[in-house]
Amino acid sequence: MLVSILTAWLLLNFMPPVNDLSGYKGFDYLGATMLFFFIVMLLVGVNLSYYYLLGAGGLLVVLAWWFNKTPTPFIEVKLLKNLVFVRAITVGLVINVVLLGGLFLLPLLLANSYQLSSLKVGLIFFGASIFSSLASLFVGRLLPNYGNLTLIYVGATLMALSLLLLYFFTGVAIIGPATGLLFISYSTIQVALNSLVPLTLGNKDGLGLGVYNLANFIGMALGPAISSKILDATHSYGVAFLSSLILVGLIFPLLFRLTIPKNQ
């Protein structure tokens, strides 16, 4: 939080002033505020009470009405009608839910079920992170030859495989490599998505990338919330990993016959 406040102060004080405001139509403060409360109610609803989810659903309806009514919506409706873009950012949301859910579950599993120390758990995640960073560099080189969609399919398959290993097998000898595979698959999909999403936007790339990042952050927040709720309800790590596997399965129909419009 402190870093965010400091960054905002730096931006306000050191960004060059904008002299030409002829195209500026105003900022949708009400829409931004409602969107903020929608996200908060969604997260609180997942963690505490389903009544908040009903409130989030009602607020979403109001948001849809407001974005269609106001001349300067916080998120342009035309952008949300771009189904190729919406499908792409949904994939991003799903992989962030799965990865952050795994980051919540795996340390608990290793510490509680296998009595590993914090140091050993940290070393497993450190190794997985190293392989993930190397995978990002490797995937970046493969992009021009194989394309975004092919690499997303490969990443989704690897992610599903890692969750299958976590669901069906036990033992640190399996969990360690499965964790690394989960990280590698996430990096593969993320690099490909970062290249794919701008292609779906045309001249709306600035706003579209902001919505894409927002979807990613929502997924990061939902992942631990959903996983903790499932773990509390079932007391089973396997059920939590199975739920993540089902989410990964949604990626394949989202990508089915996904084509970039020629005018984009």
Side-chain angles (χ1 to χ4, degrees), residues 218-257:
I218 292 175
M220 291 177 184
L222 283 176
I226 294 173
S227 295
S228 64
K229 194 72 173 181
I230 294 174
L231 190 60
D232 284 340
T234 64
H235 303 286
S236 170
Y237 292 99
V239 174
F241 289 128
L242 181 61
S243 301
S244 295
L245 179 61
I246 294 172
L247 278 178
V248 173
L250 297 177
I251 294 176
F252 296 96
L254 284 170
L255 296 179
F256 182 67
R257 294 184 178 178

PDB file of all heavy atoms in Angstrom, residues 218-257:
ATOM      1  N   ILE A 218      -8.146  -9.267 -10.596  1.00  0.00           N
ATOM      2  CA  ILE A 218      -9.328  -9.892  -9.992  1.00  0.00           C
ATOM      3  C   ILE A 218      -9.098 -11.390  -9.833  1.00  0.00           C
ATOM      4  O   ILE A 218      -9.436 -11.993  -8.808  1.00  0.00           O
ATOM      5  CB  ILE A 218     -10.582  -9.608 -10.843  1.00  0.00           C
ATOM      6  CG1 ILE A 218     -10.934  -8.120 -10.782  1.00  0.00           C
ATOM      7  CG2 ILE A 218     -11.768 -10.436 -10.348  1.00  0.00           C
ATOM      8  CD1 ILE A 218     -12.079  -7.727 -11.693  1.00  0.00           C
ATOM      9  N   GLY A 219      -8.507 -12.009 -10.865  1.00  0.00           N
ATOM     10  CA  GLY A 219      -8.196 -13.431 -10.777  1.00  0.00           C
ATOM     11  C   GLY A 219      -7.221 -13.736  -9.663  1.00  0.00           C
ATOM     12  O   GLY A 219      -7.379 -14.725  -8.933  1.00  0.00           O
ATOM     13  N   MET A 220      -6.215 -12.879  -9.490  1.00  0.00           N
ATOM     14  CA  MET A 220      -5.249 -13.072  -8.407  1.00  0.00           C
ATOM     15  C   MET A 220      -5.910 -12.998  -7.042  1.00  0.00           C
ATOM     16  O   MET A 220      -5.527 -13.717  -6.106  1.00  0.00           O
ATOM     17  CB  MET A 220      -4.148 -12.014  -8.503  1.00  0.00           C
ATOM     18  CG  MET A 220      -3.238 -12.165  -9.694  1.00  0.00           C
ATOM     19  SD  MET A 220      -2.016 -10.816  -9.759  1.00  0.00           S
ATOM     20  CE  MET A 220      -1.199 -11.193 -11.319  1.00  0.00           C
ATOM     21  N   ALA A 221      -6.902 -12.126  -6.907  1.00  0.00           N
ATOM     22  CA  ALA A 221      -7.601 -12.000  -5.629  1.00  0.00           C
ATOM     23  C   ALA A 221      -8.582 -13.151  -5.407  1.00  0.00           C
ATOM     24  O   ALA A 221      -8.751 -13.629  -4.281  1.00  0.00           O
ATOM     25  CB  ALA A 221      -8.330 -10.661  -5.567  1.00  0.00           C
ATOM     26  N   LEU A 222      -9.224 -13.601  -6.494  1.00  0.00           N
ATOM     27  CA  LEU A 222     -10.219 -14.662  -6.360  1.00  0.00           C
ATOM     28  C   LEU A 222      -9.582 -16.018  -6.087  1.00  0.00           C
ATOM     29  O   LEU A 222     -10.190 -16.858  -5.404  1.00  0.00           O
ATOM     30  CB  LEU A 222     -11.069 -14.749  -7.640  1.00  0.00           C
ATOM     31  CG  LEU A 222     -12.156 -13.697  -7.829  1.00  0.00           C
ATOM     32  CD1 LEU A 222     -12.818 -13.873  -9.177  1.00  0.00           C
ATOM     33  CD2 LEU A 222     -13.204 -13.808  -6.716  1.00  0.00           C
ATOM     34  N   GLY A 223      -8.370 -16.255  -6.614  1.00  0.00           N
ATOM     35  CA  GLY A 223      -7.750 -17.563  -6.475  1.00  0.00           C
ATOM     36  C   GLY A 223      -7.632 -18.031  -5.033  1.00  0.00           C
ATOM     37  O   GLY A 223      -8.186 -19.090  -4.664  1.00  0.00           O
ATOM     38  N   PRO A 224      -6.934 -17.284  -4.156  1.00  0.00           N
ATOM     39  CA  PRO A 224      -6.851 -17.715  -2.754  1.00  0.00           C
ATOM     40  C   PRO A 224      -8.202 -17.734  -2.056  1.00  0.00           C
ATOM     41  O   PRO A 224      -8.446 -18.593  -1.199  1.00  0.00           O
ATOM     42  CB  PRO A 224      -5.920 -16.660  -2.128  1.00  0.00           C
ATOM     43  CG  PRO A 224      -5.149 -16.096  -3.276  1.00  0.00           C
ATOM     44  CD  PRO A 224      -6.086 -16.118  -4.436  1.00  0.00           C
ATOM     45  N   ALA A 225      -9.085 -16.795  -2.420  1.00  0.00           N
ATOM     46  CA  ALA A 225     -10.397 -16.751  -1.765  1.00  0.00           C
ATOM     47  C   ALA A 225     -11.208 -18.009  -2.065  1.00  0.00           C
ATOM     48  O   ALA A 225     -11.791 -18.631  -1.165  1.00  0.00           O
ATOM     49  CB  ALA A 225     -11.155 -15.501  -2.228  1.00  0.00           C
ATOM     50  N   ILE A 226     -11.231 -18.403  -3.340  1.00  0.00           N
ATOM     51  CA  ILE A 226     -11.999 -19.592  -3.722  1.00  0.00           C
ATOM     52  C   ILE A 226     -11.371 -20.851  -3.134  1.00  0.00           C
ATOM     53  O   ILE A 226     -12.064 -21.734  -2.621  1.00  0.00           O
ATOM     54  CB  ILE A 226     -12.096 -19.686  -5.256  1.00  0.00           C
ATOM     55  CG1 ILE A 226     -12.927 -18.521  -5.807  1.00  0.00           C
ATOM     56  CG2 ILE A 226     -12.710 -21.014  -5.683  1.00  0.00           C
ATOM     57  CD1 ILE A 226     -12.949 -18.439  -7.316  1.00  0.00           C
ATOM     58  N   SER A 227     -10.042 -20.941  -3.222  1.00  0.00           N
ATOM     59  CA  SER A 227      -9.361 -22.133  -2.712  1.00  0.00           C
ATOM     60  C   SER A 227      -9.557 -22.291  -1.205  1.00  0.00           C
ATOM     61  O   SER A 227      -9.774 -23.404  -0.707  1.00  0.00           O
ATOM     62  CB  SER A 227      -7.867 -22.053  -3.036  1.00  0.00           C
ATOM     63  OG  SER A 227      -7.656 -22.089  -4.429  1.00  0.00           O
ATOM     64  N   SER A 228      -9.469 -21.181  -0.469  1.00  0.00           N
ATOM     65  CA  SER A 228      -9.667 -21.270   0.980  1.00  0.00           C
ATOM     66  C   SER A 228     -11.092 -21.671   1.317  1.00  0.00           C
ATOM     67  O   SER A 228     -11.325 -22.437   2.268  1.00  0.00           O
ATOM     68  CB  SER A 228      -9.323 -19.930   1.635  1.00  0.00           C
ATOM     69  OG  SER A 228     -10.197 -18.900   1.199  1.00  0.00           O
ATOM     70  N   LYS A 229     -12.049 -21.188   0.535  1.00  0.00           N
ATOM     71  CA  LYS A 229     -13.452 -21.548   0.771  1.00  0.00           C
ATOM     72  C   LYS A 229     -13.671 -23.034   0.527  1.00  0.00           C
ATOM     73  O   LYS A 229     -14.347 -23.724   1.314  1.00  0.00           O
ATOM     74  CB  LYS A 229     -14.348 -20.726  -0.152  1.00  0.00           C
ATOM     75  CG  LYS A 229     -15.820 -20.757   0.224  1.00  0.00           C
ATOM     76  CD  LYS A 229     -16.070 -19.960   1.488  1.00  0.00           C
ATOM     77  CE  LYS A 229     -17.544 -19.841   1.794  1.00  0.00           C
ATOM     78  NZ  LYS A 229     -17.818 -19.047   3.008  1.00  0.00           N
ATOM     79  N   ILE A 230     -13.107 -23.559  -0.556  1.00  0.00           N
ATOM     80  CA  ILE A 230     -13.249 -24.985  -0.858  1.00  0.00           C
ATOM     81  C   ILE A 230     -12.561 -25.828   0.205  1.00  0.00           C
ATOM     82  O   ILE A 230     -13.088 -26.855   0.651  1.00  0.00           O
ATOM     83  CB  ILE A 230     -12.674 -25.284  -2.259  1.00  0.00           C
ATOM     84  CG1 ILE A 230     -13.509 -24.588  -3.333  1.00  0.00           C
ATOM     85  CG2 ILE A 230     -12.636 -26.787  -2.517  1.00  0.00           C
ATOM     86  CD1 ILE A 230     -12.931 -24.696  -4.729  1.00  0.00           C
ATOM     87  N   LEU A 231     -11.378 -25.392   0.628  1.00  0.00           N
ATOM     88  CA  LEU A 231     -10.634 -26.143   1.640  1.00  0.00           C
ATOM     89  C   LEU A 231     -11.379 -26.152   2.973  1.00  0.00           C
ATOM     90  O   LEU A 231     -11.431 -27.186   3.661  1.00  0.00           O
ATOM     91  CB  LEU A 231      -9.250 -25.535   1.806  1.00  0.00           C
ATOM     92  CG  LEU A 231      -8.240 -26.331   2.642  1.00  0.00           C
ATOM     93  CD1 LEU A 231      -8.001 -27.706   2.038  1.00  0.00           C
ATOM     94  CD2 LEU A 231      -6.930 -25.569   2.758  1.00  0.00           C
ATOM     95  N   ASP A 232     -11.978 -25.034   3.342  1.00  0.00           N
ATOM     96  CA  ASP A 232     -12.749 -24.974   4.586  1.00  0.00           C
ATOM     97  C   ASP A 232     -13.987 -25.862   4.515  1.00  0.00           C
ATOM     98  O   ASP A 232     -14.377 -26.484   5.507  1.00  0.00           O
ATOM     99  CB  ASP A 232     -13.168 -23.530   4.881  1.00  0.00           C
ATOM    100  CG  ASP A 232     -12.014 -22.692   5.402  1.00  0.00           C
ATOM    101  OD1 ASP A 232     -11.036 -23.281   5.892  1.00  0.00           O
ATOM    102  OD2 ASP A 232     -12.086 -21.449   5.303  1.00  0.00           O
ATOM    103  N   ALA A 233     -14.607 -25.908   3.340  1.00  0.00           N
ATOM    104  CA  ALA A 233     -15.862 -26.658   3.199  1.00  0.00           C
ATOM    105  C   ALA A 233     -15.631 -28.160   3.095  1.00  0.00           C
ATOM    106  O   ALA A 233     -16.443 -28.949   3.586  1.00  0.00           O
ATOM    107  CB  ALA A 233     -16.628 -26.157   1.968  1.00  0.00           C
ATOM    108  N   THR A 234     -14.538 -28.574   2.448  1.00  0.00           N
ATOM    109  CA  THR A 234     -14.327 -29.998   2.178  1.00  0.00           C
ATOM    110  C   THR A 234     -13.188 -30.626   2.981  1.00  0.00           C
ATOM    111  O   THR A 234     -13.119 -31.850   3.087  1.00  0.00           O
ATOM    112  CB  THR A 234     -14.024 -30.207   0.689  1.00  0.00           C
ATOM    113  OG1 THR A 234     -12.788 -29.551   0.356  1.00  0.00           O
ATOM    114  CG2 THR A 234     -15.145 -29.632  -0.176  1.00  0.00           C
ATOM    115  N   HIS A 235     -12.274 -29.782   3.505  1.00  0.00           N
ATOM    116  CA  HIS A 235     -11.077 -30.269   4.205  1.00  0.00           C
ATOM    117  C   HIS A 235     -10.277 -31.230   3.313  1.00  0.00           C
ATOM    118  O   HIS A 235      -9.681 -32.190   3.799  1.00  0.00           O
ATOM    119  CB  HIS A 235     -11.441 -30.963   5.521  1.00  0.00           C
ATOM    120  CG  HIS A 235     -12.221 -30.090   6.455  1.00  0.00           C
ATOM    121  ND1 HIS A 235     -11.651 -29.049   7.156  1.00  0.00           N
ATOM    122  CD2 HIS A 235     -13.546 -30.085   6.784  1.00  0.00           C
ATOM    123  CE1 HIS A 235     -12.571 -28.458   7.896  1.00  0.00           C
ATOM    124  NE2 HIS A 235     -13.732 -29.056   7.687  1.00  0.00           N
ATOM    125  N   SER A 236     -10.298 -30.951   2.020  1.00  0.00           N
ATOM    126  CA  SER A 236      -9.618 -31.822   1.063  1.00  0.00           C
ATOM    127  C   SER A 236      -8.840 -30.977   0.058  1.00  0.00           C
ATOM    128  O   SER A 236      -9.431 -30.170  -0.666  1.00  0.00           O
ATOM    129  CB  SER A 236     -10.636 -32.706   0.323  1.00  0.00           C
ATOM    130  OG  SER A 236     -10.024 -33.377  -0.751  1.00  0.00           O
ATOM    131  N   TYR A 237      -7.526 -31.200   0.030  1.00  0.00           N
ATOM    132  CA  TYR A 237      -6.723 -30.514  -0.979  1.00  0.00           C
ATOM    133  C   TYR A 237      -7.051 -31.040  -2.371  1.00  0.00           C
ATOM    134  O   TYR A 237      -7.019 -30.296  -3.354  1.00  0.00           O
ATOM    135  CB  TYR A 237      -5.233 -30.712  -0.688  1.00  0.00           C
ATOM    136  CG  TYR A 237      -4.759 -30.028   0.563  1.00  0.00           C
ATOM    137  CD1 TYR A 237      -4.612 -30.734   1.755  1.00  0.00           C
ATOM    138  CD2 TYR A 237      -4.446 -28.671   0.566  1.00  0.00           C
ATOM    139  CE1 TYR A 237      -4.173 -30.105   2.915  1.00  0.00           C
ATOM    140  CE2 TYR A 237      -4.005 -28.037   1.714  1.00  0.00           C
ATOM    141  CZ  TYR A 237      -3.872 -28.764   2.885  1.00  0.00           C
ATOM    142  OH  TYR A 237      -3.445 -28.131   4.025  1.00  0.00           O
ATOM    143  N   GLY A 238      -7.382 -32.329  -2.445  1.00  0.00           N
ATOM    144  CA  GLY A 238      -7.697 -32.922  -3.743  1.00  0.00           C
ATOM    145  C   GLY A 238      -8.884 -32.267  -4.405  1.00  0.00           C
ATOM    146  O   GLY A 238      -8.877 -32.016  -5.615  1.00  0.00           O
ATOM    147  N   VAL A 239      -9.928 -31.987  -3.637  1.00  0.00           N
ATOM    148  CA  VAL A 239     -11.115 -31.335  -4.198  1.00  0.00           C
ATOM    149  C   VAL A 239     -10.771 -29.935  -4.702  1.00  0.00           C
ATOM    150  O   VAL A 239     -11.254 -29.492  -5.744  1.00  0.00           O
ATOM    151  CB  VAL A 239     -12.247 -31.269  -3.153  1.00  0.00           C
ATOM    152  CG1 VAL A 239     -13.425 -30.456  -3.673  1.00  0.00           C
ATOM    153  CG2 VAL A 239     -12.700 -32.673  -2.783  1.00  0.00           C
ATOM    154  N   ALA A 240      -9.918 -29.236  -3.949  1.00  0.00           N
ATOM    155  CA  ALA A 240      -9.504 -27.896  -4.368  1.00  0.00           C
ATOM    156  C   ALA A 240      -8.728 -27.947  -5.682  1.00  0.00           C
ATOM    157  O   ALA A 240      -8.952 -27.136  -6.587  1.00  0.00           O
ATOM    158  CB  ALA A 240      -8.666 -27.238  -3.276  1.00  0.00           C
ATOM    159  N   PHE A 241      -7.813 -28.920  -5.811  1.00  0.00           N
ATOM    160  CA  PHE A 241      -7.064 -29.050  -7.066  1.00  0.00           C
ATOM    161  C   PHE A 241      -7.974 -29.498  -8.207  1.00  0.00           C
ATOM    162  O   PHE A 241      -7.788 -29.072  -9.353  1.00  0.00           O
ATOM    163  CB  PHE A 241      -5.911 -30.040  -6.889  1.00  0.00           C
ATOM    164  CG  PHE A 241      -4.792 -29.524  -6.039  1.00  0.00           C
ATOM    165  CD1 PHE A 241      -4.317 -30.265  -4.963  1.00  0.00           C
ATOM    166  CD2 PHE A 241      -4.204 -28.293  -6.300  1.00  0.00           C
ATOM    167  CE1 PHE A 241      -3.282 -29.789  -4.170  1.00  0.00           C
ATOM    168  CE2 PHE A 241      -3.167 -27.807  -5.512  1.00  0.00           C
ATOM    169  CZ  PHE A 241      -2.712 -28.555  -4.447  1.00  0.00           C
ATOM    170  N   LEU A 242      -8.942 -30.336  -7.904  1.00  0.00           N
ATOM    171  CA  LEU A 242      -9.895 -30.765  -8.930  1.00  0.00           C
ATOM    172  C   LEU A 242     -10.726 -29.586  -9.431  1.00  0.00           C
ATOM    173  O   LEU A 242     -11.001 -29.473 -10.632  1.00  0.00           O
ATOM    174  CB  LEU A 242     -10.808 -31.863  -8.371  1.00  0.00           C
ATOM    175  CG  LEU A 242     -11.855 -32.425  -9.345  1.00  0.00           C
ATOM    176  CD1 LEU A 242     -11.173 -33.067 -10.551  1.00  0.00           C
ATOM    177  CD2 LEU A 242     -12.753 -33.428  -8.628  1.00  0.00           C
ATOM    178  N   SER A 243     -11.110 -28.698  -8.520  1.00  0.00           N
ATOM    179  CA  SER A 243     -11.854 -27.501  -8.916  1.00  0.00           C
ATOM    180  C   SER A 243     -11.015 -26.629  -9.842  1.00  0.00           C
ATOM    181  O   SER A 243     -11.523 -26.088 -10.831  1.00  0.00           O
ATOM    182  CB  SER A 243     -12.266 -26.710  -7.674  1.00  0.00           C
ATOM    183  OG  SER A 243     -13.066 -27.495  -6.808  1.00  0.00           O
ATOM    184  N   SER A 244      -9.723 -26.499  -9.533  1.00  0.00           N
ATOM    185  CA  SER A 244      -8.832 -25.733 -10.409  1.00  0.00           C
ATOM    186  C   SER A 244      -8.706 -26.405 -11.767  1.00  0.00           C
ATOM    187  O   SER A 244      -8.650 -25.736 -12.809  1.00  0.00           O
ATOM    188  CB  SER A 244      -7.448 -25.600  -9.767  1.00  0.00           C
ATOM    189  OG  SER A 244      -7.508 -24.831  -8.586  1.00  0.00           O
ATOM    190  N   LEU A 245      -8.672 -27.729 -11.775  1.00  0.00           N
ATOM    191  CA  LEU A 245      -8.586 -28.470 -13.040  1.00  0.00           C
ATOM    192  C   LEU A 245      -9.820 -28.207 -13.903  1.00  0.00           C
ATOM    193  O   LEU A 245      -9.715 -28.051 -15.126  1.00  0.00           O
ATOM    194  CB  LEU A 245      -8.436 -29.958 -12.746  1.00  0.00           C
ATOM    195  CG  LEU A 245      -8.357 -30.892 -13.952  1.00  0.00           C
ATOM    196  CD1 LEU A 245      -7.145 -30.570 -14.814  1.00  0.00           C
ATOM    197  CD2 LEU A 245      -8.314 -32.353 -13.495  1.00  0.00           C
ATOM    198  N   ILE A 246     -10.981 -28.155 -13.282  1.00  0.00           N
ATOM    199  CA  ILE A 246     -12.210 -27.859 -14.024  1.00  0.00           C
ATOM    200  C   ILE A 246     -12.146 -26.460 -14.628  1.00  0.00           C
ATOM    201  O   ILE A 246     -12.558 -26.231 -15.778  1.00  0.00           O
ATOM    202  CB  ILE A 246     -13.430 -28.003 -13.094  1.00  0.00           C
ATOM    203  CG1 ILE A 246     -13.603 -29.469 -12.669  1.00  0.00           C
ATOM    204  CG2 ILE A 246     -14.701 -27.494 -13.771  1.00  0.00           C
ATOM    205  CD1 ILE A 246     -14.657 -29.677 -11.599  1.00  0.00           C
ATOM    206  N   LEU A 247     -11.603 -25.513 -13.868  1.00  0.00           N
ATOM    207  CA  LEU A 247     -11.447 -24.158 -14.395  1.00  0.00           C
ATOM    208  C   LEU A 247     -10.518 -24.137 -15.609  1.00  0.00           C
ATOM    209  O   LEU A 247     -10.799 -23.474 -16.607  1.00  0.00           O
ATOM    210  CB  LEU A 247     -10.901 -23.236 -13.312  1.00  0.00           C
ATOM    211  CG  LEU A 247     -11.889 -22.661 -12.300  1.00  0.00           C
ATOM    212  CD1 LEU A 247     -11.151 -21.811 -11.279  1.00  0.00           C
ATOM    213  CD2 LEU A 247     -12.963 -21.847 -12.986  1.00  0.00           C
ATOM    214  N   VAL A 248      -9.416 -24.872 -15.531  1.00  0.00           N
ATOM    215  CA  VAL A 248      -8.485 -24.933 -16.664  1.00  0.00           C
ATOM    216  C   VAL A 248      -9.180 -25.528 -17.885  1.00  0.00           C
ATOM    217  O   VAL A 248      -8.909 -25.122 -19.019  1.00  0.00           O
ATOM    218  CB  VAL A 248      -7.230 -25.748 -16.291  1.00  0.00           C
ATOM    219  CG1 VAL A 248      -6.334 -25.965 -17.510  1.00  0.00           C
ATOM    220  CG2 VAL A 248      -6.452 -25.043 -15.195  1.00  0.00           C
ATOM    221  N   GLY A 249     -10.081 -26.475 -17.650  1.00  0.00           N
ATOM    222  CA  GLY A 249     -10.824 -27.064 -18.762  1.00  0.00           C
ATOM    223  C   GLY A 249     -11.643 -26.048 -19.532  1.00  0.00           C
ATOM    224  O   GLY A 249     -11.943 -26.246 -20.726  1.00  0.00           O
ATOM    225  N   LEU A 250     -12.005 -24.934 -18.885  1.00  0.00           N
ATOM    226  CA  LEU A 250     -12.772 -23.891 -19.572  1.00  0.00           C
ATOM    227  C   LEU A 250     -11.939 -23.167 -20.628  1.00  0.00           C
ATOM    228  O   LEU A 250     -12.490 -22.534 -21.530  1.00  0.00           O
ATOM    229  CB  LEU A 250     -13.290 -22.873 -18.560  1.00  0.00           C
ATOM    230  CG  LEU A 250     -14.274 -23.376 -17.497  1.00  0.00           C
ATOM    231  CD1 LEU A 250     -14.622 -22.241 -16.534  1.00  0.00           C
ATOM    232  CD2 LEU A 250     -15.539 -23.912 -18.151  1.00  0.00           C
ATOM    233  N   ILE A 251     -10.609 -23.235 -20.514  1.00  0.00           N
ATOM    234  CA  ILE A 251      -9.755 -22.522 -21.457  1.00  0.00           C
ATOM    235  C   ILE A 251      -9.934 -23.055 -22.869  1.00  0.00           C
ATOM    236  O   ILE A 251      -9.961 -22.286 -23.842  1.00  0.00           O
ATOM    237  CB  ILE A 251      -8.272 -22.627 -21.026  1.00  0.00           C
ATOM    238  CG1 ILE A 251      -8.056 -21.893 -19.707  1.00  0.00           C
ATOM    239  CG2 ILE A 251      -7.342 -22.080 -22.103  1.00  0.00           C
ATOM    240  CD1 ILE A 251      -6.647 -22.015 -19.164  1.00  0.00           C
ATOM    241  N   PHE A 252     -10.111 -24.351 -22.997  1.00  0.00           N
ATOM    242  CA  PHE A 252     -10.169 -24.952 -24.333  1.00  0.00           C
ATOM    243  C   PHE A 252     -11.404 -24.516 -25.121  1.00  0.00           C
ATOM    244  O   PHE A 252     -11.272 -24.126 -26.289  1.00  0.00           O
ATOM    245  CB  PHE A 252     -10.081 -26.473 -24.218  1.00  0.00           C
ATOM    246  CG  PHE A 252      -8.762 -26.940 -23.656  1.00  0.00           C
ATOM    247  CD1 PHE A 252      -8.632 -27.213 -22.300  1.00  0.00           C
ATOM    248  CD2 PHE A 252      -7.656 -27.070 -24.462  1.00  0.00           C
ATOM    249  CE1 PHE A 252      -7.417 -27.621 -21.767  1.00  0.00           C
ATOM    250  CE2 PHE A 252      -6.431 -27.480 -23.946  1.00  0.00           C
ATOM    251  CZ  PHE A 252      -6.312 -27.752 -22.590  1.00  0.00           C
ATOM    252  N   PRO A 253     -12.615 -24.529 -24.553  1.00  0.00           N
ATOM    253  CA  PRO A 253     -13.747 -23.967 -25.314  1.00  0.00           C
ATOM    254  C   PRO A 253     -13.638 -22.463 -25.539  1.00  0.00           C
ATOM    255  O   PRO A 253     -14.141 -21.947 -26.543  1.00  0.00           O
ATOM    256  CB  PRO A 253     -14.978 -24.313 -24.452  1.00  0.00           C
ATOM    257  CG  PRO A 253     -14.452 -24.601 -23.101  1.00  0.00           C
ATOM    258  CD  PRO A 253     -13.084 -25.174 -23.304  1.00  0.00           C
ATOM    259  N   LEU A 254     -12.973 -21.742 -24.623  1.00  0.00           N
ATOM    260  CA  LEU A 254     -12.793 -20.303 -24.823  1.00  0.00           C
ATOM    261  C   LEU A 254     -11.909 -20.023 -26.037  1.00  0.00           C
ATOM    262  O   LEU A 254     -12.093 -19.009 -26.731  1.00  0.00           O
ATOM    263  CB  LEU A 254     -12.169 -19.671 -23.582  1.00  0.00           C
ATOM    264  CG  LEU A 254     -13.076 -19.463 -22.373  1.00  0.00           C
ATOM    265  CD1 LEU A 254     -12.258 -19.061 -21.155  1.00  0.00           C
ATOM    266  CD2 LEU A 254     -14.129 -18.400 -22.663  1.00  0.00           C
ATOM    267  N   LEU A 255     -10.961 -20.907 -26.307  1.00  0.00           N
ATOM    268  CA  LEU A 255     -10.052 -20.719 -27.436  1.00  0.00           C
ATOM    269  C   LEU A 255     -10.560 -21.346 -28.730  1.00  0.00           C
ATOM    270  O   LEU A 255      -9.994 -21.100 -29.797  1.00  0.00           O
ATOM    271  CB  LEU A 255      -8.681 -21.323 -27.106  1.00  0.00           C
ATOM    272  CG  LEU A 255      -7.904 -20.701 -25.947  1.00  0.00           C
ATOM    273  CD1 LEU A 255      -6.594 -21.450 -25.746  1.00  0.00           C
ATOM    274  CD2 LEU A 255      -7.626 -19.227 -26.208  1.00  0.00           C
ATOM    275  N   PHE A 256     -11.621 -22.152 -28.648  1.00  0.00           N
ATOM    276  CA  PHE A 256     -12.092 -22.891 -29.824  1.00  0.00           C
ATOM    277  C   PHE A 256     -12.527 -21.921 -30.921  1.00  0.00           C
ATOM    278  O   PHE A 256     -13.373 -21.052 -30.720  1.00  0.00           O
ATOM    279  CB  PHE A 256     -13.255 -23.800 -29.426  1.00  0.00           C
ATOM    280  CG  PHE A 256     -13.770 -24.644 -30.551  1.00  0.00           C
ATOM    281  CD1 PHE A 256     -12.980 -25.644 -31.103  1.00  0.00           C
ATOM    282  CD2 PHE A 256     -15.036 -24.429 -31.065  1.00  0.00           C
ATOM    283  CE1 PHE A 256     -13.452 -26.426 -32.144  1.00  0.00           C
ATOM    284  CE2 PHE A 256     -15.524 -25.201 -32.104  1.00  0.00           C
ATOM    285  CZ  PHE A 256     -14.730 -26.206 -32.646  1.00  0.00           C
ATOM    286  N   ARG A 257     -11.894 -22.053 -32.089  1.00  0.00           N
ATOM    287  CA  ARG A 257     -12.184 -21.207 -33.253  1.00  0.00           C
ATOM    288  C   ARG A 257     -12.020 -19.725 -32.956  1.00  0.00           C
ATOM    289  O   ARG A 257     -12.759 -18.892 -33.500  1.00  0.00           O
ATOM    290  CB  ARG A 257     -13.587 -21.499 -33.803  1.00  0.00           C
ATOM    291  CG  ARG A 257     -13.738 -22.894 -34.392  1.00  0.00           C
ATOM    292  CD  ARG A 257     -15.104 -23.085 -35.007  1.00  0.00           C
ATOM    293  NE  ARG A 257     -15.215 -24.423 -35.613  1.00  0.00           N
ATOM    294  CZ  ARG A 257     -16.329 -24.882 -36.202  1.00  0.00           C
ATOM    295  NH1 ARG A 257     -17.411 -24.110 -36.253  1.00  0.00           N
ATOM    296  NH2 ARG A 257     -16.340 -26.093 -36.726  1.00  0.00           N
TER     297      ARG A 257
END
